[in-house]
Amino acid sequence: MSSCWRECPQTVSCPTTPKDLPTPQVSERRDPHPSRMQMPQGNPLLLSYTLQELLGRDTVQVELIPEKKGLFLKHVEYEVSSQRFKSSVYRRYNDFVVLHDMLLQKFPYRMVPALPPKRVLGADREFIEARRRALRRFINLVARHPPFSEDVALRLFLSFSGPDVQNKLKESAQYVGDEFMNCKLAPRAKDFLPADIQTQLAVSRELIRNIYNSFHKLRDRAERIASRAIDNAADLLIFGKELSALGSDTTPLPSWASLNSSTWGSLKQALRGLSVEFALLADKAAQQGKQEENDVVEKLNLFLDLLQSYKELCERHEKGVLHKHQRALHKYSLTRRQMLSTTVQSREPDAAEQLESRIVEQENAIQTLELRSYFSLYCLHQEMQLVHVYLPLTSHILGAFVNSQIQGHKEMSKVWNDLKPKLSCLFAGPNSSLTPPRPLEDGVSPQ
């Protein structure tokens, strides 16, 4: 764990390691200043988390509660429950938005997961459920992220039960500054970066891009597999109901079919009893589909959300601090040329002093931006490590998928086997014994 996550003053919102979780042992360089906490020797850039340690930080549930209707508008509200804080609070979508904004403000160089879009017009059940799942993924990624997990904004969001949580969140960010301003190691981030940090960053971005594309395809296929299982459940249920309806038909037989009345009656009696088994088959298929939605598709979506947040962080690094740094250098260059020109052409000392003052200010701003640039790279390197900590989630996903398929086919196979003896009367011959079906003349087997 980096010292930026452990050494910030307690008056600000820099995270610390929770006492109830294992503490990763990563050494750090000593700070020569006697008034500061001493750091173990080593490179604080390197992390040593395991996936189980991250997942063990917290598990947050986000459940939909009944809509509250006003005079003209209605809104969706969620019950947010945290295992870590043993809390249960009510939150609206806009509360999540404020938390997201506070995290971006405090941690601009960290992976802040994106929120699902807000739908302006009326939302259907499918959209509301998809958004609920996305909000649950967002808050769990935040609650398990080392710097975010100890931030006061997250604690307020998960445990504050008073009125107007949004203002409370905004107040917590006032006069605090971002992570760069509160981290003791920020001015020295360059000292801990590898010499080939830019090369590593480029390779990392390419790797994450490839992993994201592959997992996106896996997610799409997993969605289709789960959807087919649910569609199969609906088809099996309707199939059984139609068999039952056929067996319950009370239309009298015509006179010319009276010789087969006993056969038709036996068939109807057998068909009426089959709906129970087909309903059970439908239930098993629906359970398998739902389980794969929760254990396979959702975990794939969680990992995709994490990868997307890393991609967006890289873009913020390039478009934000690097762009500002380049713009400041360009402005500084223009001011220097203007000062040289003024010094040569003008004899007024005030103009030269003003330009010199501006140059000093710009030099200070450039120095700060340069330090922020290195700190941004420092954080990018750590966030990349966190992405790799999540990679073993792949084995969890595959294990859940295989187990679901094995269990689902096993349970459905048992129901099919139990169903087969009930079909005996459908193939009963003259001696009431099972007559093996023979191929029809057109080559189509009755089976």
Side-chain angles (χ1 to χ4, degrees), residues 176-187:
V176 173
D178 65 7
E179 187 182 10
F180 172 81
M181 298 175 64
N182 296 312
C183 180
K184 293 181 181 179
L185 278 184

Side-chain angles (χ1 to χ4, degrees), residues 82-261:
S82 165
Q83 279 189 2
R84 177 186 171 194
F85 294 105
K86 297 179 174 57
S87 60
S88 180
V89 293
Y90 292 150
R91 295 290 180 257
R92 296 177 61 182
Y93 175 81
N94 287 339
D95 299 333
F96 284 88
V97 172
V98 174
L99 173 64
H100 179 269
D101 293 343
M102 294 302 100
L103 291 174
L104 276 177
Q105 178 180 324
K106 291 183 177 181
F107 303 97
Y109 311 123
R110 300 289 181 184
M111 295 186 296
V112 180
L115 285 174
K118 181 176 183 178
R119 193 164 179 172
V120 179
L121 300 177
D124 54 24
R125 289 185 178 181
E126 184 177 352
F127 172 82
I128 292 175
E129 172 60 16
R131 189 170 68 175
R132 182 195 68 82
R133 289 173 177 266
L135 291 174
R136 183 178 62 184
R137 296 194 303 269
F138 163 81
I139 196 63
N140 275 285
L141 285 173
V142 169
R144 294 162 180 171
H145 190 286
F148 305 160
S149 63
E150 294 304 315
D151 187 69
V152 64
L154 178 69
R155 293 190 179 193
L156 285 170
F157 184 85
L158 292 177
S159 60
F160 179 72
S161 57
D164 203 357
V165 66
Q166 295 183 22
N167 277 337
K168 202 73 176 175
L169 289 170
K170 293 174 183 177
E171 289 173 3
S172 70
Q174 286 183 344
Y175 316 116
V176 173
D178 65 7
E179 187 182 10
F180 172 81
M181 298 175 64
N182 296 312
C183 180
K184 293 181 181 179
L185 278 184
R188 295 189 291 140
K190 180 181 178 181
D191 299 338
F192 304 105
L193 293 173
D196 61 342
I197 181 61
Q198 295 293 349
T199 302
Q200 288 191 26
L201 179 59
V203 172
S204 172
R205 292 189 68 176
E206 181 65 22
L207 175 62
I208 297 303
R209 186 182 299 111
N210 294 337
I211 293 175
Y212 179 88
N213 291 336
S214 294
F215 269 82
H216 195 279
K217 294 176 182 177
L218 288 172
R219 192 278 313 276
D220 289 347
R221 295 298 139 178
E223 278 185 338
R224 294 183 62 180
I225 292 171
S227 179
R228 281 201 296 270
I230 295 173
D231 290 343
N232 186 37
D235 291 339
L236 286 168
L237 187 62
I238 294 175
F239 194 93
K241 288 182 177 179
E242 290 302 323
L243 289 177
S244 178
L246 186 63
S248 303
D249 187 81
T250 57
T251 305
L253 287 174
S255 58
W256 54 265
S258 59
L259 294 176
N260 297 320
S261 60

Side-chain angles (χ1 to χ4, degrees), residues 1-6 8 14-15 44-45 47 100 103-104 106-113 145-148 179-180 183 306 309-314 316-317 375-386:
M1 182 186 298
S2 90
S3 61
C4 284
W5 296 357
R6 293 195 301 184
C8 298
C14 288
L45 180 67
L47 310 180
H100 179 269
L103 291 174
L104 276 177
K106 291 183 177 181
F107 303 97
Y109 311 123
R110 300 289 181 184
M111 295 186 296
V112 180
H145 190 286
F148 305 160
E179 187 182 10
F180 172 81
C183 180
L306 181 74
S309 66
Y310 179 81
K311 292 169 63 178
E312 292 174 357
L313 175 60
C314 291
R316 286 204 306 274
H317 171 75
F375 183 67
S376 179
L377 287 171
Y378 180 98
C379 295
L380 266 172
H381 199 287
Q382 288 189 330
E383 299 301 274
M384 177 204 35
Q385 294 176 67
L386 280 180

Side-chain angles (χ1 to χ4, degrees), residues 332-347:
Y332 174 76
S333 177
L334 293 177
T335 306
R336 289 282 297 180
R337 287 200 297 266
Q338 184 181 359
M339 180 179 179
L340 290 174
S341 176
T342 302
T343 303
V344 172
Q345 299 177 7
S346 176
R347 297 181 180 180

Side-chain angles (χ1 to χ4, degrees), residues 21-53:
L21 296 175
T23 303
Q25 300 298 318
V26 179
S27 58
E28 298 168 342
R29 180 176 300 181
R30 290 188 179 275
D31 192 328
H33 199 287
S35 64
R36 295 184 179 181
M37 184 187 303
Q38 290 186 343
M39 296 179 289
Q41 294 181 352
N43 190 347
L45 180 67
L46 304 178
L47 310 180
S48 63
Y49 288 105
T50 66
L51 178 61
Q52 292 304 322
E53 287 173 341

